[in-house]
Amino acid sequence: MSEGLRLPKFSLGVGDRFAHQAKAQLAACVMASDAGVEVVPVWNKSNREHTIIGSEPSQTRIEADAAVKALKWTKPYFLDADHINLKTVERFLAPCDFFTLDVAEMIGKPADPKNVAAFVAQHPELVGTVTIPHIEKPFKTDAAFVTGVANQFLAAVEDAGRIYRHLVEKKGAGNFIAEVSMDETDAPQTPVELLIILAAIADEKIPIQTIAPKFTGRFNKGVDYVGDVAQFTREFNEDLATIAFAVKTYGLPANLKLSVHSGSDKFSIYKAIHDGVKKFDAGVHVKTAGTTWLEELIGLAEAGGAGLEIAKEVYAEAYAHAEELCAPYATVIDIDPAKLPKPEVVNGWTSEQYTSALRHDQSNKAYNQSFRQLLHVGFKVAAKMGDRYLKALEANEAVVARNVTTNLYERHIRPVFLGR
Ligand SMILES: [Zn+2]
């Protein structure tokens, strides 16, 4: 089903809010390559982030291309128009070659009853006993169940089809990678729902190479997974089995894989992801995002002097505008206001105190996840500082880059892709 651009087995979505860390991020992929595993970078930035910062996707392209050239990276790399729809896709068309079609808004909207009936009639294999290899118990379904799921998801898949065909028209088939994302929705999808969704995506002829379901548990921004790890492990393995089965049954691209959104910092499920992927000989795409921006702050704080002052200023401003900054991310953060230190206190901190509170090291007693999450959504403050912030990054490039690379390689690539 898919000719042309192909996403390799292991890929890491990296977010670079201020387009200054592409080299440091790519350096982590180079380290992975030296350690014997190919992990290709996908620079992702959503419309929401571009809007908050006032940046353009073309800037990410320039930065990524420059990094690839500087580090002589010869493997593939991509630019992801993250969470786009027909309304927001325009400015991403030229610079991007990976598109995350966000259809969460359409989930639950009724599809045309004729289309729902046609879908159910076309898929007798989904009705009755559905046996997916490597899933212990077969699923029992009936026509009413499949109709219900189709009613929940068909309109969303049709919407993805419209976005996909628009992209084909603008960029040409095979000239981009397509992902469908359903993570920013309320309820996780079960494996059998995922199978039904994949059948519909195949009917719609969208050659997706990644799919981002909503997993069980909370994937808050910048902090560890909150939920039942055993249940996540079971569901993740069942999703892998479902994808392998759907690829064979519906002729979806052979390299179709799961995409884990808000995947940075989810340390407690990395072993499950690594083991599952290994067991199924599957690929995986892990999207990280704001974790790099926090490493910029850590680097500035570590540098001391004017760098530390800027890091403190960002916190003070974020604290003062917490409500406004948190609003767009309300469903993906859990901040305990009582745990937020007063800016007067932070202003007296040393480099060590600031980095200990912020760096994602759960073994450090001074680590403060409310502090971390507030700063995670606080990038707008740095965006408002404009050149002053960017100059600080440039003046402290070495220490910032070291933190960015170490975070991606040691805390993400090693546990997820190398399993150690
Ligand atoms: Zn997402």
Side-chain angles (χ1 to χ4, degrees):
M1 201 158 159
S2 143
E3 301 286 325
L5 274 191
R6 194 172 191 281
L7 186 63
K9 189 171 185 179
F10 297 138
S11 45
L12 183 69
V14 287
D16 188 10
R17 299 212 187 312
F18 296 97
H20 270 61
Q21 305 310 330
K23 249 197 298 179
Q25 293 172 323
L26 185 58
C29 294
V30 171
M31 288 169 78
S33 171
D34 292 345
V37 61
E38 182 185 281
V39 179
V40 307
V42 179
W43 278 278
N44 53 248
K45 195 164 175 183
S46 66
N47 192 58
R48 176 171 63 190
E49 286 160 52
H50 278 297
T51 306
I52 289 174
I53 290 176
S55 56
E56 286 297 326
S58 51
Q59 291 167 274
T60 313
R61 166 57 70 190
I62 292 166
E63 179 72 6
D65 286 351
V68 162
K69 201 168 164 203
L71 269 60
K72 302 188 170 59
W73 179 257
T74 53
K75 299 183 170 102
Y77 66 102
F78 301 90
L79 248 72
D80 178 3
D82 200 7
H83 286 284
I84 50 87
N85 55 38
L86 276 181
K87 280 174 275 179
T88 53
V89 72
E90 191 59 34
R91 60 176 166 166
F92 293 90
L93 287 171
C96 292
D97 50 13
F98 184 128
F99 292 80
T100 298
L101 320 181
D102 184 345
V103 294
E105 218 178 87
M106 294 297 285
I107 292 175
K109 299 252 163 76
D112 185 332
K114 269 192 297 196
N115 297 353
V116 172
F119 175 81
V120 179
Q122 226 170 300
H123 291 285
E125 80 286 1
L126 294 171
V127 180
T129 304
V130 181
T131 307
I132 300 175
H134 306 292
I135 295 185
E136 236 175 275
K137 269 205 274 177
F139 297 94
K140 302 274 184 205
T141 71
D142 54 25
F145 173 80
V146 178
T147 304
V149 177
N151 261 320
Q152 183 78 0
F153 294 105
L154 200 59
V157 172
E158 288 170 351
D159 193 43
R162 278 188 290 276
I163 310 171
Y164 175 72
R165 288 187 294 274
H166 178 74
L167 290 169
V168 168
E169 193 185 301
K170 297 287 177 182
K171 293 194 69 81
N175 292 329
F176 62 94
I177 311 277
E179 165 168 327
V180 166
S181 73
M182 301 181 292
D183 60 307
E184 298 198 356
T185 178
D186 296 334
Q189 294 99 27
T190 64
V192 74
E193 282 175 335
L194 182 61
L195 182 66
I196 295 170
I197 292 164
L198 289 170
I201 288 174
D203 286 356
E204 195 71 26
K205 298 194 169 48
I206 315 171
I208 54 166
Q209 298 186 38
T210 53
I211 182 154
K214 183 178 174 70
F215 296 107
T216 183
R218 279 184 74 75
F219 285 72
N220 283 339
K221 297 283 181 191
V223 293
D224 203 348
Y225 176 76
V226 182
D228 182 340
V229 173
Q231 192 189 344
F232 171 85
T233 306
R234 196 167 51 245
E235 285 181 16
F236 188 78
N237 278 280
E238 291 185 352
D239 284 349
L240 290 169
T242 303
I243 285 184
F245 181 66
V247 164
K248 281 207 189 83
T249 309
Y250 300 117
L252 287 160
N255 64 330
L256 172 61
K257 59 181 178 174
L258 285 170
S259 172
V260 183
H261 283 213
S262 298
S264 46
D265 303 284
K266 302 297 172 285
F267 305 145
S268 58
I269 54 170
Y270 285 169
K271 187 178 184 323
I273 293 175
H274 176 79
D275 292 350
V277 161
K278 200 171 167 196
K279 181 174 153 201
F280 283 86
D281 192 21
V284 70
H285 180 56
V286 174
K287 273 194 199 191
T288 74
T291 197
T292 283
W293 136 250
L294 291 177
E295 294 303 325
E296 286 182 342
L297 278 184
I298 289 169
L300 291 175
E302 200 178 300
L308 178 60
E309 288 312 310
I310 283 206
K312 288 175 177 177
E313 196 180 323
V314 169
Y315 180 72
E317 277 296 299
Y319 187 90
H321 300 279
E323 211 172 309
E324 165 205 340
L325 294 169
C326 292
Y329 294 94
T331 57
V332 284
I333 47 175
D334 273 322
I335 293 174
D336 179 355
K339 300 258 166 68
L340 290 173
K342 294 263 184 303
E344 304 88 88
V345 173
V346 174
N347 285 340
W349 280 0
T350 61
S351 291
E352 165 91 38
Q353 283 173 301
Y354 195 107
T355 58
S356 298
L358 182 54
R359 189 176 279 132
H360 201 170
D361 172 6
Q362 293 170 17
S363 69
N364 189 330
K365 277 207 198 78
Y367 168 62
N368 180 334
Q369 62 169 7
S370 291
F371 181 73
R372 183 171 166 90
Q373 286 181 93
L374 178 58
L375 284 169
H376 192 287
V377 299
F379 59 95
K380 191 177 182 177
V381 174
K384 276 194 181 149
M385 288 178 174
D387 236 25
R388 202 153 63 86
Y389 179 73
L390 301 181
K391 289 261 154 56
L393 287 182
E394 285 154 20
N396 300 288
E397 188 184 335
V399 56
V400 169
R402 174 161 41 74
N403 280 289
V404 168
T405 305
T406 304
N407 173 51
L408 286 180
Y409 184 69
E410 296 293 338
R411 292 198 276 276
H412 294 89
I413 288 177
R414 276 178 66 144
V416 173
F417 300 104
L418 289 154
R420 57 187 143 93

